[in-house]
Amino acid sequence: MASTGLSATQKVCSVCDKILWFELQPEDVFGKPHHASRRALEASAKSCKLCRMVLRAAIANYQDSRGRRNGKGYWRQFNVIKYHDGSSLRDITYIKELGACVPATGTDYPMGVGRAVLGATGNINSDGMHVDNDREVPSLEALTVDDNETAELPVWLYGNWWAEYEPSAPGDTKPLRLMGIGARFGKTRSHFDALNTRPDEVHLRGSNLGICTNDDSLLSVIPGRLREMNSDSDIAIGRLKKWLKDCESNHPFCGRPYMDPVLPTRVIDVFASNRGVAVFETRGRKGNYVTLSHCWGTSSRLMATKESIKDLEQGIAVSFLPKTFQDAIKITRRLGIKYLWIDCLCIVQDDPDDWEREAAAMSQVYRNSYLTISAAASKDSYTGCFLKREKDSYVSPATISLGYTTPREATGPMSHTLTYEHTSQLGKKNSIYLFEEWLPGSSYHFPQKMAMGSFGKRFDPIADEPLSTRAWTLQERLLSPRIIHYARDQMYFECESCVKSEDGFTFGDIYFGMKRLLETQCIPHNQHGLSQAGGLSFIVGQDAGGKYPGIRWQGGWLSLIENYTMRNLTVADDKLTALAGVARAIAEETGDRYFAGLWGKHFLEDLCWRMYPQEEIEDRRNMKNTPIKGKVLGTVRRPNQYRAPSWSWASLDGPVRHIPLSYSKLVSKIVDCSTVPAGKDAYGRVSGGKLNIQGPIFEIRPHLPKKRWDRHGIPVEIDLEDDRGISTGTLHLDVPDESISYPCYALFLDPSKALILRTKDLEPKRNDDGTEDPNTLVSKPILTCKDINFNVSKSPEVKGHTFRALYDVVRIGVGVFVKAAKENPDQKPGEEEKEPEQWDEAKHGKLTLDKILHVSGDGSWGPITKDDPLVWVTIV
């Protein structure tokens, strides 16, 4: 990396002054010498702030070598590679220190290196993702080093170089970007001689100093930037313009914005006068426009009504508008765009016909927008887009992804600014900001990817913003091709390709992208449900598919519904309407039919949902499974008025999760489905609907466990009345606070997952003596597989006929069932459970996979087969 001809102007110690901090070599190349010993560094740190930061970075590196960071264990990645050491070739183990969260994707560009293995230096939490915080977090001032180990060891500096895109070949440095600076103790500059490193290992311990530069810097290898304390500054607007230009020019997946699209019915002319704006009817005119996504709030607000629309068309002073609207107008003007669309000013709110017509057109309003302004941090129309940030302290996206909460203070007490002047451009200043922040290391031979999720967990950076709590704003975000989010911590630019943070990080995984959503709606049959491509599960009842079971959970419709149902609606009847714009866009693109939140081509997968008001965790310590309740996600309620059929998630309020099916082993089939629109919009409210479906049905009864119940849900069972015996299962009521009454019935969709049904109309409970209890209403009987098998045994000629239930039914929950466990014939009643025979075989190394109870791919633990007879039933 050649010198750029910069000369330092800010005074530091003579050692630091000689270092070109932006040209340091990668961690697994040669280190740059700093002070000759730790003692010398400590002496210089008393007067040189930069030396003090280097000392703290070297001590932190020393602590990492002992398997601790911030008082926690962490994940490690192991790679065994063939290493060229001069003229010889030998096996070397690369050990890379990661964070407290396991990476969501592959960390490095492989460059011919074999598959990595992950391990943890501490205890893994019950969710399998994080590492326990098992002791108090010490400050760096409290960290100690072994004086005998480090006192006379030299200090070496290195750069933490990540790859913005995949290198074309080993040694290609064009994609490399400098993410941080590291320091280590070591006998020589070689990484093999770093403290606490074995001869056959390379330890990538990462960087403890973050690095940023200014926007117009000539140091293009540094992607980090300081966030703006005020998001309406010239620098902030310049960043927005740069992001827009980059998206238009370099994102083929996004495509260029629509040029002069047909304008919405009404827009706001932001250049109507110097001090004012005006609403006007466009009558088919064309032009670029910006849209606003915002929280209305509960306070009184300005809006278009039948009475006020004429005044708005004549014009209104910007100063009379709520602060959020004023800020949106300011952004639109500074982008040089004439028109702005704000829902409450461009839709006549007290005109039902206008409201329904404009709500139906919402998909085109946002999809054709040049840019959507997201007032993400604003809780109402008066908060504004540009929150003033008083302190420079915040937790960066990278730190959140790694599972830590250490704040970044880029201009705080433990930071340092170096200003350079370019020798060929006198007067041109380039600043480098160094501050404390740990990032995982990167190898020169197989560099770390820069995308968020490749070094820690995936997360949505605006998930906790006030705007993300509102249901209507989800489709606004999804439909918009480009969005600028004004969040509490910083600005985020989102397009169909990525999300970029103001401080220089990139989120490659888009949570809400219309193109990704449309792709997942066009998958073939075998890509639904659990993955058929591999995986094993030895835990009875647990699928082999892992945490993300299928494509439609990853940026598809199912993940969309799961997020949407966590959000709030002011008007409960808007449950389907607030998502109608997205539904219309999908239907127009795919030709699929839409049924109150479910899609025709994906119906069985969409049908298998359950209410999920609280996180459910399974603690599997000591070979036992203990169900634990986690974070409360919401409250489940039935709306006061009919809103959707019972088989639709839209019939209830509360968080929803979808249960993946074994699609290669489906046992049900859809006959037909229909819904009745409640208005003019076919994708909005419904007044009725029914589903005709055929599948195996069994009566459910309570299960009384002999041992501690080790699953979430109500214990129930079904009697298969053949050699399959009694199958136990867990029942999850759609409304957990409601009591369950028997009889109820399980309609199986695959061998283990079932909808729980009862008849729509109830009847008095019949007592054991034959009398009726008029105060207790229960389900009428539903035709079951047992009834069909009995009829076939009496009249074999009816085998193969269609059997239909007499009464319409409603859904009341879902159930998951497993095959009956094989009993030990040698075990006597009341006797203590014996150690399984397989355990003894495992101890002697004789256990093989065929002797272990397991499922693979989309295999099922359930007892139902395609040989079980089908019952036609109508669910309403």
Side-chain angles (χ1 to χ4, degrees), residues 794-808:
K794 296 296 183 182
S795 305
E797 68 275 9
V798 302
K799 184 176 182 179
H801 288 199
T802 299
F803 294 86
R804 188 166 187 173
L806 292 176
Y807 309 108
D808 289 348

Side-chain angles (χ1 to χ4, degrees), residues 224-391:
R225 297 291 183 269
L226 298 182
R227 63 169 189 166
E228 282 295 281
M229 300 300 286
N230 192 344
S231 294
D232 69 344
S233 69
D234 290 340
I235 291 177
I237 294 296
R239 286 173 178 172
L240 172 56
K241 291 179 178 179
K242 181 180 178 182
W243 284 329
L244 286 166
K245 183 178 180 180
D246 182 58
C247 178
E248 293 176 26
S249 305
N250 301 318
H251 292 177
F253 188 72
C254 296
R256 296 184 64 83
Y258 293 108
M259 301 306 295
D260 291 331
V262 175
L263 291 169
T265 304
R266 301 178 191 89
V267 291
I268 302 165
D269 183 351
V270 300
F271 291 111
S273 66
N274 290 336
R275 295 185 179 181
V277 296
V279 174
F280 82 100
E281 288 195 23
T282 60
R283 305 185 187 280
R285 297 182 190 177
K286 295 182 178 182
N288 286 337
Y289 63 95
V290 171
T291 46
L292 174 66
S293 179
H294 67 109
C295 288
W296 284 32
T298 57
S299 56
S300 60
R301 70 189 72 86
L302 178 68
M303 64 176 67
T305 63
K306 293 178 181 177
E307 182 179 354
S308 67
I309 187 64
K310 292 299 181 183
D311 291 335
L312 292 173
E313 289 175 348
Q314 291 175 5
I316 184 171
V318 174
S319 59
F320 288 171
L321 296 173
K323 182 67 167 60
T324 302
F325 298 178
Q326 292 183 34
D327 290 347
I329 290 169
K330 183 184 292 186
I331 296 167
T332 306
R333 285 175 170 176
R334 293 181 75 175
L335 291 176
I337 295 177
K338 185 175 177 62
Y339 301 119
L340 171 66
W341 188 91
I342 301 176
D343 51 5
C344 58
L345 297 182
C346 296
I347 301 175
V348 181
Q349 299 297 316
D350 60 352
D351 184 339
D353 291 337
D354 190 76
W355 191 93
E356 185 174 12
R357 181 173 58 253
E358 294 304 305
M362 201 76 73
S363 63
Q364 293 304 313
V365 169
Y366 280 97
R367 292 188 80 183
N368 292 338
S369 168
Y370 176 77
L371 174 72
T372 292
I373 299 167
S374 163
S378 303
K379 59 184 179 181
D380 57 37
S381 300
Y382 293 89
T383 310
C385 297
F386 310 131
L387 298 185
K388 297 294 187 293
R389 304 181 180 99
E390 302 298 335
K391 296 181 180 179

Side-chain angles (χ1 to χ4, degrees), residues 625-700:
N625 188 61
T626 302
I628 300 173
K629 290 291 187 179
K631 177 183 176 182
V632 175
L633 303 175
T635 303
V636 178
R637 293 183 296 266
R638 291 192 186 277
N640 295 328
Q641 297 179 336
Y642 179 90
R643 196 168 62 197
S646 66
W647 43 262
S648 168
W649 51 264
S651 63
L652 300 169
D653 289 319
V656 164
R657 292 292 183 273
H658 289 84
I659 304 174
L661 297 172
S662 300
Y663 246 69
S664 67
K665 299 173 179 60
L666 295 177
V667 296
S668 283
K669 56 184 179 181
I670 304 299
V671 179
D672 59 59
C673 183
S674 62
T675 54
V676 181
K680 298 178 182 179
D681 188 357
Y683 303 94
R685 300 173 184 176
V686 298
S687 60
K690 66 179 182 178
L691 166 66
N692 287 311
I693 184 173
Q694 287 182 289
I697 295 180
F698 291 85
E699 184 176 346
I700 293 174

Side-chain angles (χ1 to χ4, degrees), residues 550-567:
I551 292 174
R552 295 178 74 238
W553 276 265
Q554 302 170 48
W557 183 257
L558 302 184
S559 62
L560 175 71
I561 297 304
E562 291 178 1
N563 184 283
Y564 178 73
T565 54
M566 297 269 289
R567 297 175 177 234

Side-chain angles (χ1 to χ4, degrees), residues 198-212:
R198 293 172 52 180
D200 58 346
E201 293 178 350
V202 173
H203 245 101
L204 299 177
R205 295 184 184 129
S207 55
N208 284 282
L209 296 179
I211 186 168
C212 287

Side-chain angles (χ1 to χ4, degrees), residues 156-206:
W156 307 91
L157 301 178
Y158 56 86
N160 192 1
W161 296 86
W162 292 11
E164 186 175 9
Y165 53 91
E166 186 170 5
S168 59
D172 178 14
T173 62
K174 290 181 181 179
L176 299 187
R177 302 291 179 265
L178 184 59
M179 305 297 292
I181 306 295
R184 65 178 178 237
F185 299 113
K187 296 178 182 179
T188 74
R189 61 178 182 168
S190 172
H191 48 281
F192 289 112
D193 290 330
L195 188 64
N196 290 334
T197 299
R198 293 172 52 180
D200 58 346
E201 293 178 350
V202 173
H203 245 101
L204 299 177
R205 295 184 184 129

